[in-house]
Amino acid sequence: PCQDLVGSPWFFTDRTNLCASYSFFLSLCRAGAGMAKLMGGSAGFHVQGAHMQASRPPSLSFRTCAQLEISRFCTIPRFMGVKAVNVSQQHMRHRFSSIRASALPCMQDDTTRYFDFVVIGSGVAGLRYALEVSKHGSVAIITKAEPHESNTNYAQGGVSAVLCPKDSVESHMQDTIVAGAHLCDEETVRIVCTEGPERVKELIAMGASFDHGEDGRLHLAREGGHSHNRIVHSADMTGKEIERALLQAVENDENISVFGHHFAIDLLTCQNNGEIFCYGVDSLDTKAQKVVRFISKVTLLASGGAGHIYPTTTNPPVATGDGIAMCHRAQAVISNMEFVQFHPTALSDEGLPIKPAKIRDNAFLVTEAVRGDGGILYNQSMERFMPLYDDRAELAPRDVVARSIDDQLKKRGGKYVLLDISHKPREKILAHFPNIAAECLRHGLDITQQPIPVVPAAHYMCGGVRAGLQGETSVKGLYVAGEVACTGLHGANRLASNSLLEALVFAQRAVQPSIDHMVDADADPCLAEKWARPVLSVSIKDSALSDIIEKTKKTRMELQSIMWEYVGIVRSTNRLKNAEWKIGDLESEWEEFLFRRGWKPATVGIEACEMRNLFCCAKLVVKSALARRESRGLHFTEDFPYLEESKRKPTVIFPTAIQELTWSSKPLQRQLQCK
């Protein structure tokens, strides 16, 4: 069964009838069995006669440019001008050297950059990938804020991996599949659980420091949904430590250039015989206030999730769904967007003795490891409630715990519940959770003596850009890794600490196909001028621009309120339809406001571009949720409260010739025709 939504993508929950239903998509599957898996997942869809050999990317029909050696483009600043790139002599001699510069005038300004590989995002996935592909070519990492500002940096718990002799890959797989409500792709799960330990060892070899026990071995924690202790961690700041080690390695790599405060606007694509090819990305340099175009042979998208479609999220401010929205506009396949994970235990500022001086940009996360270490959940009457909902009590998967807390809050009219770890030895609490203890103490609460007020908050997108086993997407030359990707690992709910693991595994798996694509790519450096350039919003009058920014802030809050009220932890068909209507009206009103005040379709500004991405992702979540007529994992609907085996298939959003007419749904650049 599928739903044909007029003016919007096609939604499928049964992909066995894909070929008969949607002949256009066959052309996207010609790249081989990997792409067949990309579209098939656990529904078992296959393309007959497919093989893994990718087709050679077509050249664009541009004039021939005079060529100079790449060395003239080795003065691109790294880390905002700290030092310059010095491409190695070995790389210079490589037969397939970096994209060469042209002597033509179009190549002489600093608004166009040329690299073999462009990485969008500076979290664990993007950095780890960059460090590998830099051995084969020039790499640009473009990141929205400072390089360290990513979801990785806020990850507290750790990385799950089978590193104990008493544990097994089969056990890790089973825990992952159970947590994912049996919607996980089993082949993906096996690959990640099998390759994960080696990826963790590589991090250690690169200098990442993890906690060790008194016996000198890695201290392995346990979290909700896990049957064994298998969480490698660095106190309660694991992501920060991984980010530190990777950024240090990037800083020491002369083939990598990092462009901070560059906001990715839209992917640069062209089409040939039904296949779409990616040749880079347009970005907005928010410091210098200029548009910078990055032309590349290969693009990796590792831009994180979309937590800020909700009013309360553990995600940093940069998580506005930019990558998912860009890929949707570029006609990549999107999947499982209904599965938004709400972390059960974000710190509730309402319950703190001393309230924060200002509203936080993102909620402070209280890691899953607190419950894994023996933390107990109580309502405000100090009644333990988790055993009433699940036999696993506090160690149940996140979707179960979040719904249980939500139920308690609604029944009792409370604003938070309490997580108590104070029955554990003080020194153990402070050793394992120093960051949480310090944050709470700043607000007058001692977690060694008092329970922690917690509330669910939007935390992780289990859906995203559909990826094959090597991070490939339906757009040639475009790979994805990390939260922006939907690999099939998480299914309907992510198992705790599987996110960093997935990012590490898929960053590595995307390396070889990226190199192969880079070697085969025939990218003409003059193609940069074939796409129209975005226009800065500074051309608009100051008073009108101020009005637009203020209207956008209000619109963002309204969208977040709609999503929490109608598309939250517990849903219904009626509320989802209301959300769809309200979001559509809100988007139309906002766009009309912009265009009445001089905004043009090609105009860019960070507030407005983030808003268009938030609208795009919110609509994808709502429409995916409406398409799933059962309750599974993170998607619980009162109208279909039970699992249905016949619906145990991913929701897939395919590109379609019928595009929505809103600004958020269309790329700024017209898609070119390749030849």
Side-chain angles (χ1 to χ4, degrees):
C2 66
Q3 219 176 350
D4 181 6
L5 303 174
V6 176
S8 57
W10 289 60
F11 288 73
F12 292 83
T13 52
D14 183 353
R15 286 174 291 168
T16 57
N17 295 324
L18 171 60
C19 292
S21 303
Y22 196 25
S23 59
F24 165 76
F25 209 74
L26 284 175
S27 62
L28 298 178
C29 301
R30 290 171 184 154
M35 195 60 67
K37 171 183 167 35
L38 174 64
M39 308 315 160
S42 47
F45 171 68
H46 299 282
V47 177
Q48 297 299 319
H51 56 89
M52 286 299 295
Q53 179 62 43
S55 57
R56 181 182 177 88
S59 301
L60 299 182
S61 54
F62 304 124
R63 65 186 183 275
T64 302
C65 295
Q67 301 293 312
L68 298 177
E69 286 301 317
I70 183 62
S71 55
R72 66 170 290 169
F73 276 85
C74 294
T75 56
I76 300 170
R78 301 175 71 249
F79 287 99
M80 304 302 292
V82 173
K83 68 173 136 163
V85 178
N86 179 21
V87 179
S88 67
Q89 291 299 313
Q90 179 183 2
H91 176 59
M92 291 284 291
R93 292 194 299 267
H94 196 284
R95 185 161 89 88
F96 301 99
S97 61
S98 300
I99 297 176
R100 292 174 177 169
S102 164
L104 295 179
C106 66
M107 304 293 292
Q108 300 306 312
D109 62 76
D110 63 352
T111 61
T112 305
R113 306 283 194 179
Y114 296 85
F115 290 88
D116 292 312
F117 305 93
V118 163
V119 178
I120 303 172
S122 59
V124 59
L127 297 179
R128 192 68 191 90
Y129 172 89
L131 287 165
E132 290 300 316
V133 296
S134 68
K135 301 168 186 176
H136 302 270
S138 58
V139 183
I141 298 175
I142 69 172
T143 185
K144 192 171 175 179
E146 292 296 325
H148 66 268
E149 187 69 3
S150 65
N151 280 355
T152 296
N153 204 47
Y154 290 81
Q156 292 181 356
V159 187
S160 60
V162 177
L163 294 166
C164 174
K166 296 180 180 179
D167 199 0
S168 68
V169 168
E170 288 70 25
S171 178
H172 192 182
M173 286 182 61
Q174 181 65 15
D175 292 345
T176 299
I177 291 168
V178 169
H182 297 273
L183 196 65
C184 310
D185 180 85
E186 188 171 340
E187 187 177 6
T188 301
V189 175
R190 181 173 295 280
I191 285 171
V192 172
C193 294
T194 301
E195 297 180 6
E198 189 62 30
R199 302 289 84 82
V200 172
K201 292 173 185 176
E202 290 169 355
L203 280 181
I204 295 171
M206 293 175 64
S209 177
F210 299 116
D211 289 358
H212 289 71
E214 294 178 359
D215 58 2
R217 298 178 179 178
L218 284 171
H219 181 270
L220 302 176
R222 185 180 175 188
E223 295 181 349
H226 289 274
S227 58
H228 291 77
N229 289 46
R230 63 168 70 100
I231 314 301
V232 181
H233 63 100
S234 181
D236 58 351
M237 296 174 283
T238 308
K240 186 173 291 186
E241 172 57 20
I242 294 173
E243 187 82 0
R244 179 205 62 77
L246 292 175
L247 281 174
Q248 183 61 55
V250 166
E251 170 67 12
N252 295 331
D253 192 317
E254 295 183 333
N255 280 359
I256 301 176
S257 303
V258 177
F259 296 85
H261 299 279
H262 280 60
F263 173 79
I265 301 168
D266 265 323
L267 298 170
L268 301 170
T269 61
C270 70
Q271 190 176 73
N272 182 51
N273 292 329
E275 291 187 326
I276 300 170
F277 293 80
C278 179
Y279 283 97
V281 65
D282 272 339
S283 73
L284 173 61
D285 181 344
T286 56
K287 289 283 189 179
Q289 280 300 299
K290 63 182 179 182
V291 173
V292 181
R293 176 161 289 174
F294 289 85
I295 300 296
S296 64
K297 296 178 180 180
V298 177
T299 302
L300 176 87
L301 197 58
S303 54
H308 282 271
I309 59 175
Y310 290 95
T312 305
T313 176
T314 60
N315 293 181
V318 295
T320 52
D322 308 323
I324 295 171
M326 285 192 299
C327 283
H328 178 59
R329 291 192 291 266
Q331 299 184 52
V333 179
I334 310 294
S335 186
N336 285 355
M337 287 294 288
E338 68 269 38
F339 299 120
V340 181
Q341 185 175 79
F342 290 84
H343 198 288
T345 56
L347 184 64
S348 170
D349 291 341
E350 288 275 349
L352 292 172
I354 302 172
K355 306 294 187 289
K358 63 175 184 176
I359 297 174
R360 300 177 193 262
D361 288 330
N362 50 291
F364 184 84
L365 178 66
V366 178
T367 174
E368 190 99 4
V370 174
R371 285 184 285 119
D373 221 26
I376 298 173
L377 284 165
Y378 298 96
N379 57 35
Q380 289 185 48
S381 299
M382 290 307 293
E383 299 168 343
R384 187 182 183 188
F385 58 85
M386 275 310 302
L388 302 175
Y389 296 93
D390 195 281
D391 291 340
R392 293 163 290 186
E394 282 78 10
L395 291 179
R398 289 177 179 177
D399 60 323
V400 176
V401 180
R403 277 197 300 275
S404 302
I405 293 174
D406 184 68
D407 187 56
Q408 284 286 308
L409 296 179
K410 288 174 178 175
K411 284 180 176 177
R412 305 177 70 88
K415 293 186 176 180
Y416 57 87
V417 296
L418 300 167
L419 176 60
D420 190 19
I421 192 69
S422 64
H423 52 281
K424 293 291 181 178
R426 176 184 176 85
E427 61 275 10
K428 183 177 179 182
I429 295 172
L430 296 179
H432 288 183
F433 311 113
N435 191 37
I436 296 170
E439 178 64 21
C440 289
L441 199 58
R442 271 194 289 271
H443 299 285
L445 190 143
D446 183 353
I447 69 170
T448 67
Q449 298 183 32
Q450 300 165 279
I452 308 166
V454 294
V455 67
H459 182 60
Y460 190 88
M461 294 294 300
C462 289
V465 184
R466 192 79 170 160
L469 290 177
Q470 294 179 308
E472 72 274 23
T473 70
S474 55
V475 176
K476 300 304 174 73
L478 177 65
Y479 297 82
V480 289
E483 189 174 350
V484 72
C486 181
T487 66
L489 174 68
H490 306 309
N493 176 46
R494 176 173 69 82
L495 180 64
S497 288
N498 264 4
S499 56
L500 293 177
L501 176 73
E502 178 197 39
L504 288 167
V505 169
F506 273 87
Q508 180 63 46
R509 292 186 68 83
V511 169
Q512 191 55 53
S514 296
I515 295 166
D516 294 342
H517 186 92
M518 186 272 290
V519 166
D520 286 340
D522 184 16
D524 184 340
C526 288
L527 63 85
E529 298 309 312
K530 291 299 178 178
W531 288 279
R533 295 264 179 173
V535 180
L536 290 173
S537 59
V538 292
S539 59
I540 300 173
K541 292 181 180 178
D542 289 346
S543 58
L545 189 57
S546 296
D547 290 345
I548 287 171
I549 291 172
E550 186 60 31
K551 175 67 173 179
T552 300
K553 288 179 181 177
K554 292 179 180 178
T555 301
R556 180 167 172 158
M557 293 175 65
E558 288 182 55
L559 174 66
Q560 291 170 334
S561 178
I562 291 168
M563 290 299 290
W564 178 247
E565 178 69 23
Y566 297 98
V567 201
I569 296 172
V570 176
R571 303 161 178 174
S572 71
T573 301
N574 186 52
R575 286 202 295 272
L576 289 171
K577 287 182 177 178
N578 277 331
E580 190 173 38
W581 297 330
K582 287 176 180 292
I583 292 170
D585 289 345
L586 183 65
E587 183 182 26
S588 296
E589 178 193 342
W590 174 70
E591 289 187 4
E592 288 172 9
F593 184 92
L594 262 62
F595 294 127
R596 283 201 307 269
R597 280 158 178 76
W599 200 270
K600 304 294 183 185
T603 306
V604 293
I606 189 165
E607 296 88 358
C609 286
E610 281 189 335
M611 191 69 246
R612 75 195 281 252
N613 292 338
L614 290 167
F615 269 125
C616 183
C617 289
K619 291 187 294 184
L620 291 173
V621 171
V622 172
K623 290 176 180 177
S624 296
L626 280 168
R628 183 166 293 281
R629 300 169 73 83
E630 64 161 353
S631 289
R632 185 179 295 274
L634 297 164
H635 173 72
F636 184 87
T637 171
E638 294 171 333
D639 297 296
F640 306 97
Y642 304 109
L643 283 171
E644 288 195 30
E645 180 60 24
S646 64
K647 299 185 184 300
R648 185 166 63 87
K649 296 151 189 168
T651 305
V652 180
I653 306 171
F654 294 109
T656 173
I658 306 173
Q659 292 292 329
E660 292 185 65
L661 300 179
T662 62
W663 186 51
S664 71
S665 303
K666 297 184 294 183
L668 299 186
Q669 301 86 0
R670 179 178 57 86
Q671 192 175 83
L672 302 177
Q673 291 296 317
C674 312
K675 77 169 187 177

